[in-house]
Amino acid sequence: MPSIDFNSVAGLPGNVATEKLRTEGFNELPSTKKRNILWIIFEVVHEPMFLLLVASGLIYFVLGDIQEGMMLMSFVLVIIGITVYQEQKTERALEALRNLSSPRALVIRDGEQRRIPGREVVTGDMLILSEGDRVPADGILLSSNNISVDESLLTGESVPVRKISWKEGALSDRPGGDDQPFVYSGTLVVQGQGLAEVRSTGINTEMGKIGTVLQTVDRGETRLKTEISKIVRSVAVAGLFLCVVIVVVYGVTRSNWIEGLLAGVTLAMAILPEEFPVVLTVFLALGAWRISRKNVLTRQVPAIETLGSATVLCVDKTGTLTQNRMSVRKFFSHGEMCEFDASGSRLVPDSCHELAEFSILACKSDPFDPMEKALVALGKGEFGKTEHIHTTWELVQEYPLSPELLAMSNVWRSPDGIEYIIATKGAPEAVADLCHFDSGMMKDLSVHVNSMASEGFRVLGVAKATFNRTILPGEQHDFTFEFLGLIGFADPVRPRVADAVAECYSAGMRVIMITGDYPLTAQNIARQIGFSKIESIITGHELEVMSEDELRKRIGTVTIFARVVPEQKLRIVSALKANGEVVAMTGDGVNDAPALKAADIGIAMGGRGTDVAREASSLVLLDDNFISIVSAVRLGRRIFDNLKKAIAYIFSIHVPIAGMSLLPVLFNLPLVLFPVQIVFLELIIDPACSIVFESEKEEANVMTRPPRQKEEGLFTRETLAISLMQGGVVLAVVLIIYLTALSRGLGEPEARSLTFTTIVIANLGLIFTNRSWTETAVQSLRSPNKALWWVVGGTLCALFLVLFVPVLQGLFGFAPVPPLYLVACAGAGIISILWFEIFKYRRRKAIRN
């Protein structure tokens, strides 16, 4: 292939380029400001929930209990540390991805070729583009030599488009379509050479224009964060009010304001939900870590909660459902249509050996074009073991593809041959023209071409020729070609995608394909992966003339949107949200960015995605695999389920703690719980919530039930009722133990010991019974949870120490009691949760029947 003479091009003077860089700014896409450690810490600690944690710690300092205050404050620092570490890890990963996508550029300045960072390209620069180069800015081709560009980041189409040199009258300046002179930032040159003049950089490129749309789209706060904040505020206000009431009542009725203050602080500590921010932060931080192990990077941690409630998953076809690489799937030769699958047991049929042989000979040795890559891969498979692969042949000359003739030829010579052997491939009609087909032969060929195209295949024709003269001709038409047949290419579906789609359907999620590709191609892929209602298709042209009301009406049944342009993707997502759907949107290119940001959950591709797409997303898919998305949804549901159990447990255990802090004051009985007992219980509650419930396995029906309702939060009526019932029964049992101890003439320290033992055992019982709301505690024991046994073992050891070690007895206000009494208290604690075990068993039995 003849090269372009770049020596005659002077390019921009260096001083002019420097001045333009100063006035125009760097050639960079819109990006959110990078957050440093101090900013991340500020975002964490200014939340009301963390301020409440700090306030709880300050209560200890006011009481002069420095040790306990320092313990709680150190715990606050640990939680902040976890969040900062996770956020920094996310920022570093995204920065690495941004750096990977920042291309270097070969420009001509002061008459010399220079390799510079892509961000330093300015308007007017002369870009030298070659195979494998990432275009750094928008521009116009002044010279081109058989250049093709992959514009899938902007158009969604996986097949490269041909480019030509600029001529007067060139009108279209939009991505997509063959034989245009325009190149765009972020696209990839897969073939040929070109010289382009930069016309737009940074925000003014096609990528940048779409980036500006993102600034007008706001995702808003997640429902979980809003709900938790509201609960914390409400409970905190109620707790502080009751605290004041207790101080006043105690001081007036018992004339002891010091003990009244102690009773009030104890009640406040019993009621204030300082576990809520701990649980929410730890669950989401560890959830982000768990999801990262499924190759999904969490950019916005609250999106993890939203994952489990997604009702619609909008996916791009190219690269997400498919592998974004062509493979040979069908041959047509000697009147026979043959299937081929390199991953299966089907080999290249004998009748198609010559067709495959010459199609490989017509390729470059190290191609960028996806269809040429597929043919080269064919030669490296089983077919490569045949005598039809000629590694010793010499390539003599190439005849490149051109706008006038959409076919290319390679001229070869074998070591012992005296003839030239010519291999040609290209558009079927172009190859047929080289073979001098008459109208009848063209009509017959069109039948087979259309048959393959209707199945979603890209089709190439292949021909061969021989030549025995010394001087090769100047044009391909001067050879006498023999038509060998057709080859059909397909972008293969990713493995196990069909299973993942089926899992989405069983989980009550709709899957919608939104693609820039042709309807037949999209429909064929949808059929392969098991889409439902694939007959229902809306094209970009139909969407353009459709009203918002009509779109909202039809979008409830449509599963495929084809030939869609960027602004239409945003319309689709907006229409789904207007219909009350919770939308998860995947995308890999700039054309997807506005829809990614508008969706409830934006999922960008990490491997081939653009900066703009990643910045607009909530999650980044590191392996660009649809299966990872479904795994993330599964984990999102599990995380929400476990979070719901943890919050319900917190409510239930706080009922007896708050009750035993309040009732003795109201009924003029001796105080049961002091701050030190509350701290002891918190040391059980916090790890139980943050570690035990977080690590619980998913429920059996996690992906066979519909998504939760959009308005459903952590506290449904059923959840709140069960929590209050659990706590109420435990409170009743504990109160009975306490009153029984007093009625039998035991002293305050002995009664406190028995009451506290009952609360601790009941607390452990609540952990066991809330591990699953579908299985009984005995059944859930079959699921390993190492953290559970560490918490249980540590609690029982600590309880033994405070009951029997004299120094600790005095600190907690306990006194020795007979072991038989302690066994009775343990039994009472277990009995307090049995009703819920019976409830779960009967409900599960009723569901089975």
Side-chain angles (χ1 to χ4, degrees):
M1 181 176 66
S3 60
I4 301 171
D5 182 15
F6 299 117
N7 295 325
S8 60
V9 181
L12 282 179
N15 60 337
V16 173
T18 302
E19 178 62 21
K20 282 195 170 190
L21 192 62
R22 186 184 68 82
T23 57
E24 296 176 357
F26 287 109
N27 175 36
E28 293 177 322
L29 296 176
S31 175
T32 56
K33 184 179 180 181
K34 186 178 178 181
R35 299 177 296 170
N36 57 33
I37 294 179
L38 293 177
W39 183 253
I40 295 173
I41 292 175
F42 173 76
E43 287 185 332
V44 173
V45 301
H46 87 284
E47 292 290 335
M49 293 180 290
F50 275 92
L51 293 177
L52 181 59
L53 266 180
V54 175
S56 300
L58 291 177
I59 291 175
Y60 288 102
F61 289 122
V62 171
L63 292 174
D65 196 340
I66 304 300
Q67 183 179 356
E68 300 297 343
M70 290 297 295
M71 182 185 66
L72 187 55
M73 295 304 291
S74 64
F75 189 69
V76 172
L77 294 177
V78 169
I79 297 303
I80 293 175
I82 292 174
T83 305
V84 170
Y85 171 77
Q86 181 64 35
E87 292 288 340
Q88 275 204 303
K89 183 179 177 183
T90 300
E91 287 292 324
R92 283 195 298 268
L94 287 169
E95 184 65 26
L97 291 172
R98 282 193 287 266
N99 292 337
L100 284 174
S101 67
S102 178
R104 293 181 63 81
L106 183 60
V107 300
I108 301 176
R109 289 183 181 172
D110 295 318
E112 297 180 354
Q113 297 183 20
R114 299 179 185 176
R115 182 73 67 176
I116 65 173
R119 68 194 298 266
E120 295 180 9
V121 170
V122 297
T123 57
D125 260 329
M126 293 297 175
L127 294 173
I128 298 176
L129 302 174
S130 302
E131 289 183 3
D133 287 346
R134 184 75 65 178
V135 181
D138 290 5
I140 295 179
L141 279 172
L142 303 181
S143 301
S144 64
N145 193 339
N146 190 30
I147 189 169
S148 296
V149 180
D150 179 358
E151 296 183 346
S152 60
L153 289 180
L154 292 171
T155 64
E157 295 188 35
S158 57
V159 177
V161 293
R162 297 185 305 273
K163 297 293 181 180
I164 60 173
S165 301
W166 182 81
K167 297 177 182 179
E168 287 291 342
L171 298 177
S172 175
D173 62 348
R174 300 288 293 174
D178 290 317
D179 301 328
Q180 295 293 332
F182 306 100
V183 290
Y184 302 96
S185 174
T187 59
L188 179 67
V189 179
V190 298
Q191 181 175 288
Q193 286 183 316
L195 177 68
E197 180 182 350
V198 175
R199 291 296 181 90
S200 303
T201 61
I203 195 70
N204 297 314
T205 62
E206 285 297 314
M207 280 191 177
K209 290 175 183 176
I210 296 177
T212 58
V213 177
L214 303 179
Q215 300 173 5
T216 64
V217 181
D218 183 25
R219 188 178 285 114
E221 295 283 357
T222 64
R223 293 187 302 278
L224 176 62
K225 189 174 182 180
T226 303
E227 183 183 9
I228 288 290
S229 297
K230 183 178 179 181
I231 292 171
V232 167
R233 285 193 298 268
S234 300
V235 176
V237 170
L240 291 175
F241 173 76
L242 286 175
C243 173
V244 174
V245 170
I246 289 299
V247 172
V248 173
V249 170
Y250 199 102
V252 171
T253 59
R254 305 193 188 188
S255 300
N256 191 331
W257 293 94
I258 298 297
E259 287 192 6
L261 179 62
L262 180 62
V265 169
T266 302
L267 179 62
M269 291 176 59
I271 294 179
L272 289 178
E274 64 263 29
E275 300 93 354
F276 282 179
V278 174
V279 168
L280 184 61
T281 301
V282 170
F283 265 67
L284 296 185
L286 291 180
W289 171 74
R290 291 186 188 280
I291 288 178
S292 70
R293 298 176 69 187
K294 300 294 183 181
N295 291 312
V296 179
L297 178 69
T298 304
R299 176 159 177 76
Q300 296 178 352
V301 174
I304 295 171
E305 170 264 333
T306 315
L307 262 176
S309 62
T311 59
V312 176
L313 182 56
C314 298
V315 296
D316 186 50
K317 175 184 71 66
T318 305
T320 307
L321 299 173
T322 66
Q323 299 178 28
N324 197 25
R325 63 175 178 83
M326 289 292 178
S327 64
V328 177
R329 297 296 299 274
K330 186 164 281 193
F331 295 104
F332 172 74
S333 183
H334 301 292
E336 181 183 359
M337 196 75 76
C338 304
E339 300 284 346
F340 174 75
D341 184 1
S343 62
S345 59
R346 289 176 177 165
L347 303 177
V348 178
D350 291 340
S351 61
C352 301
H353 275 195
E354 190 176 30
L355 170 62
E357 173 188 0
F358 278 85
S359 69
I360 296 171
L361 288 172
C363 295
K364 297 180 181 298
S365 59
D366 187 20
F368 282 93
D369 182 84
M371 286 188 281
E372 286 199 342
K373 283 184 176 181
L375 291 172
V376 170
L378 180 67
K380 294 178 180 179
E382 288 295 322
F383 185 69
K385 300 176 183 178
T386 68
E387 72 278 7
H388 298 284
I389 302 300
H390 310 286
T391 57
T392 60
W393 284 18
E394 176 191 2
L395 178 62
V396 178
Q397 184 171 320
E398 299 178 16
Y399 291 88
L401 178 146
S402 66
E404 293 77 24
L405 182 63
L406 301 180
M408 60 177 293
S409 299
N410 284 344
V411 181
W412 297 87
R413 183 164 51 198
S414 64
D416 55 350
I418 57 174
E419 287 185 325
Y420 293 111
I421 299 169
I422 300 94
T424 296
K425 64 174 172 56
E429 61 274 13
V431 176
D433 180 44
L434 289 174
C435 297
H436 305 291
F437 274 25
D438 58 29
S439 58
M441 297 169 69
M442 286 295 295
K443 185 176 180 180
D444 184 57
L445 178 66
S446 296
V447 172
H448 300 296
V449 171
N450 291 336
S451 172
M452 296 172 77
S454 67
E455 296 181 53
F457 296 125
R458 304 282 182 176
V459 185
L460 287 182
V462 180
K464 72 172 184 176
T466 57
F467 195 77
N468 54 16
R469 297 180 189 176
T470 305
I471 301 175
L472 291 169
E475 296 183 358
Q476 298 178 73
H477 273 291
D478 294 330
F479 297 111
T480 302
F481 283 102
E482 175 189 348
F483 188 78
L484 296 178
L486 303 170
I487 299 181
F489 300 82
D491 187 0
V493 171
R494 286 184 177 271
R496 296 173 51 213
V497 162
D499 294 337
V501 171
E503 191 171 16
C504 288
Y505 287 148
S506 69
M509 295 171 57
R510 291 176 57 204
V511 185
I512 295 178
M513 182 192 299
I514 305 177
T515 179
D517 219 329
Y518 292 95
L520 281 178
T521 304
Q523 195 173 41
N524 181 266
I525 294 296
R527 183 179 296 108
Q528 292 182 50
I529 60 180
F531 263 41
S532 63
K533 303 177 182 178
I534 62 173
E535 299 79 14
S536 181
I537 301 177
I538 293 180
T539 65
H541 176 71
E542 294 171 330
L543 189 60
E544 188 175 350
V545 297
M546 194 177 292
S547 68
E548 297 298 329
D549 289 340
E550 185 180 359
L551 175 59
R552 287 184 58 183
K553 183 178 180 180
R554 290 195 58 188
I555 207 168
T557 56
V558 172
T559 57
I560 299 174
F561 287 85
R563 304 302 288 169
V564 168
V565 295
E567 56 269 22
Q568 292 175 332
K569 293 190 176 187
L570 182 58
R571 277 193 67 194
I572 294 168
V573 171
S574 299
L576 287 167
K577 292 179 69 176
N579 282 353
E581 306 281 7
V582 178
V583 183
M585 166 75 186
T586 69
D588 62 337
V590 176
N591 57 335
D592 299 319
L596 285 172
K597 190 169 184 180
D600 296 286
I601 311 141
I603 308 171
M605 303 295 116
R608 65 184 187 279
T610 63
D611 286 351
V612 176
R614 289 193 293 270
E615 292 286 354
S617 65
S618 306
L619 306 173
V620 178
L621 201 62
L622 297 180
D623 62 354
D624 297 357
N625 196 333
F626 178 78
I627 297 171
S628 298
I629 303 169
V630 180
S631 298
V633 171
R634 174 187 289 270
L635 274 173
R637 290 190 173 192
R638 167 189 162 179
I639 290 165
F640 185 84
D641 284 349
N642 289 344
L643 181 59
K644 194 171 182 179
K645 295 172 189 175
I647 297 295
Y649 160 73
I650 292 172
F651 254 86
S652 60
I653 191 56
H654 271 268
V655 171
I657 295 174
M660 293 309 296
S661 300
L662 178 64
L663 293 177
V665 177
L666 296 180
F667 294 98
N668 200 23
L669 296 172
L671 294 179
V672 177
L673 299 178
F674 298 146
V676 66
Q677 279 99 356
I678 303 296
V679 172
F680 184 98
L681 292 170
E682 290 295 335
L683 292 177
I684 304 172
I685 297 170
D686 286 336
C689 297
S690 305
I691 303 175
V692 175
F693 286 110
E694 193 283 328
S695 59
E696 273 301 313
K697 71 163 191 173
E698 64 200 33
E699 295 283 357
N701 66 342
V702 69
M703 290 297 281
T704 57
R705 65 173 188 251
R708 68 179 187 273
Q709 295 296 317
K710 188 173 183 178
E711 63 278 359
E712 181 183 336
L714 285 172
F715 294 99
T716 61
R717 291 182 177 178
E718 180 188 22
T719 303
L720 189 58
I722 289 176
S723 297
L724 292 176
M725 182 70 75
Q726 285 181 342
V729 173
V730 171
L731 174 59
V733 171
V734 169
L735 188 59
I736 290 171
I737 293 292
Y738 177 59
L739 295 176
T740 301
L742 292 177
S743 67
R744 287 180 174 268
L746 295 178
E748 291 182 21
E750 289 81 3
R752 186 176 296 111
S753 299
L754 296 177
T755 305
F756 186 75
T757 300
T758 308
I759 293 177
V760 171
I761 299 301
N763 189 350
L764 296 178
L766 287 173
I767 297 173
F768 277 100
T769 196
N770 281 293
R771 287 184 65 197
S772 173
W773 281 21
T774 57
E775 296 180 340
T776 65
V778 175
Q779 290 171 327
S780 64
L781 287 176
R782 293 176 297 186
S783 303
N785 189 327
K786 292 181 181 180
L788 170 68
W789 299 111
W790 279 104
V791 170
V792 171
T795 299
L796 293 178
C797 288
L799 180 62
F800 176 84
L801 292 175
V802 299
L803 288 175
F804 295 103
V805 175
V807 174
L808 295 178
Q809 280 182 355
L811 179 63
F812 278 76
F814 294 157
V817 291
L820 187 60
Y821 283 15
L822 293 178
V823 172
C825 291
I830 294 172
I831 290 173
S832 68
I833 55 94
L834 285 182
W835 73 271
F836 189 56
E837 292 298 296
I838 297 171
F839 170 78
K840 288 190 293 183
Y841 174 77
R842 288 186 174 179
R843 184 169 65 173
R844 188 173 181 180
K845 188 176 181 180
I847 292 173
R848 286 178 176 177
N849 294 335

